[in-house]
Amino acid sequence: MNGIFHFSRQTSGPKRGYFRSLSTLVNHPHIYVFPKKSHSEDSILSLLPTEPPLTELAIGSTSKLPPSPDSFEENPKFLEILQLVLEEHAHEDPESISQAQVMASTSGANLGSGGVFFAPRHKRASKFGAAAAGRGDSSKGVSGQGGAGSGRGGWIHVSDARRPPEFGRIAWPEDIFGSLEADSNGDFVGRNGNYQSSGTYRIVTRDGILGLSPFLREKLADELRKQERLARMS
């Protein structure tokens, strides 16, 4: 295996009935692989199946498959779009909603998929403190910032699913997209949960590539399709 899955897809429109070959990353059927024409051994990775791909909307490029931190070159524009989508929709994600509700019901206990409670009095200045220092222990973070049973709202992390943290811990900084603020009832604060980007997220790590929830992945793909249409019309 070279990290690629090949399949044929029927097209629509003027060439309806025509089949073209597409490639995706093994175990990532939503990430398409295209040869990079300027470098025959390099590949472009994209969430869109359109060929040729628009490099400005691609996830990035890699010199080998599957991609590794050493082989992968991320696309800064893609990261910007990713964060804009998270800012707009992360608070609507069923997984985020579930984490906020668990936080409220447990008053700050660990949230399983990367979320952890931080008391609002510390807000932006410290909500990434434990993560920035390394793989933190959620119970320690809670006791230092209000403690279980404080009856206050706090922050949950929105994290990549490629390596779910063990019980009692939060995700690595490189896996954290950002954070959302919720009140003591588990409802997100403000228009969008006051989403804050972590500034530490990496698209590819030794644990794999971009792992969004199905909800957020589709929202991101929708935005990329929208920008692709606009780019091709201009």
Side-chain angles (χ1 to χ4, degrees), residues 89-105 111 113 115 156-158 180-183 185-189 192-193 213 215-216:
H89 297 291
H91 70 291
E92 301 171 340
D93 186 3
E95 293 187 13
S96 297
I97 294 172
S98 176
Q99 288 190 47
Q101 292 173 346
V102 171
M103 181 193 71
S105 66
L111 301 181
S113 59
I156 64 167
H157 288 323
V158 182
L180 293 166
E181 184 180 11
D183 61 23
N185 295 316
D187 297 321
F188 288 116
V189 175
N192 65 346
S213 69
F215 175 86
L216 291 175

Side-chain angles (χ1 to χ4, degrees), residues 5 22 30 36 51 64 106 119 131 149 159 161 164 192 196 205 212 223:
F5 173 74
L22 292 175
H30 52 279
K36 191 173 184 180
E51 189 176 8
K64 69 177 183 179
T106 58
S159 304
N192 65 346
Q196 298 290 312
T205 69
L212 288 165
E223 179 61 27

Side-chain angles (χ1 to χ4, degrees), residues 1-233:
M1 297 293 289
N2 60 358
I4 307 178
F5 173 74
H6 301 279
F7 68 100
S8 295
R9 178 173 178 174
Q10 187 173 13
T11 62
S12 58
K15 294 185 178 181
R16 186 177 180 83
Y18 170 75
F19 286 83
R20 65 187 178 95
S21 177
L22 292 175
S23 301
T24 61
L25 287 179
V26 171
N27 299 324
H28 296 279
H30 52 279
I31 298 181
Y32 298 90
V33 180
F34 301 95
K36 191 173 184 180
K37 293 182 179 179
S38 59
H39 297 83
S40 58
E41 296 183 357
D42 289 3
S43 300
I44 296 174
L45 306 179
S46 176
L47 287 178
L48 301 179
T50 309
E51 189 176 8
L54 292 180
T55 55
E56 61 266 32
L57 299 179
I59 300 171
S61 61
T62 182
S63 58
K64 69 177 183 179
L65 296 169
S68 68
D70 293 333
S71 72
F72 180 75
E73 182 178 353
E74 65 186 28
N75 175 17
K77 177 65 175 178
F78 177 85
L79 276 175
E80 291 178 12
I81 298 172
L82 170 62
Q83 285 297 332
L84 286 174
V85 169
L86 290 169
E87 182 177 353
E88 186 69 24
H89 297 291
H91 70 291
E92 301 171 340
D93 186 3
E95 293 187 13
S96 297
I97 294 172
S98 176
Q99 288 190 47
Q101 292 173 346
V102 171
M103 181 193 71
S105 66
T106 58
S107 298
N110 178 72
L111 301 181
S113 59
V116 65
F117 168 88
F118 289 89
R121 63 179 178 177
H122 289 271
K123 288 191 175 181
R124 294 166 180 77
S126 63
K127 70 177 185 297
F128 292 109
R135 196 174 179 84
D137 181 273
S138 69
S139 61
K140 181 178 180 181
V142 171
S143 64
Q145 302 183 50
S150 62
R152 294 176 294 193
W155 295 85
I156 64 167
H157 288 323
V158 182
S159 304
D160 197 292
R162 60 192 163 207
R163 186 180 182 182
E166 298 175 2
F167 180 79
R169 297 180 180 272
I170 63 174
W172 289 102
E174 61 190 9
D175 291 332
I176 298 176
F177 296 115
S179 291
L180 293 166
E181 184 180 11
D183 61 23
S184 59
N185 295 316
D187 297 321
F188 288 116
V189 175
R191 181 188 67 83
N192 65 346
N194 292 334
Y195 177 80
Q196 298 290 312
S197 171
S198 70
T200 60
Y201 178 75
R202 296 175 60 193
I203 294 177
V204 172
T205 69
R206 62 183 180 180
D207 296 308
I209 192 170
L210 180 70
L212 288 165
S213 69
F215 175 86
L216 291 175
R217 186 172 66 241
E218 186 55 36
K219 291 296 183 183
L220 177 56
D222 285 344
E223 179 61 27
L224 291 171
R225 284 190 286 264
K226 175 183 175 182
Q227 296 205 24
E228 182 185 58
R229 287 194 299 270
L230 292 174
R232 295 191 184 278
M233 289 172 58

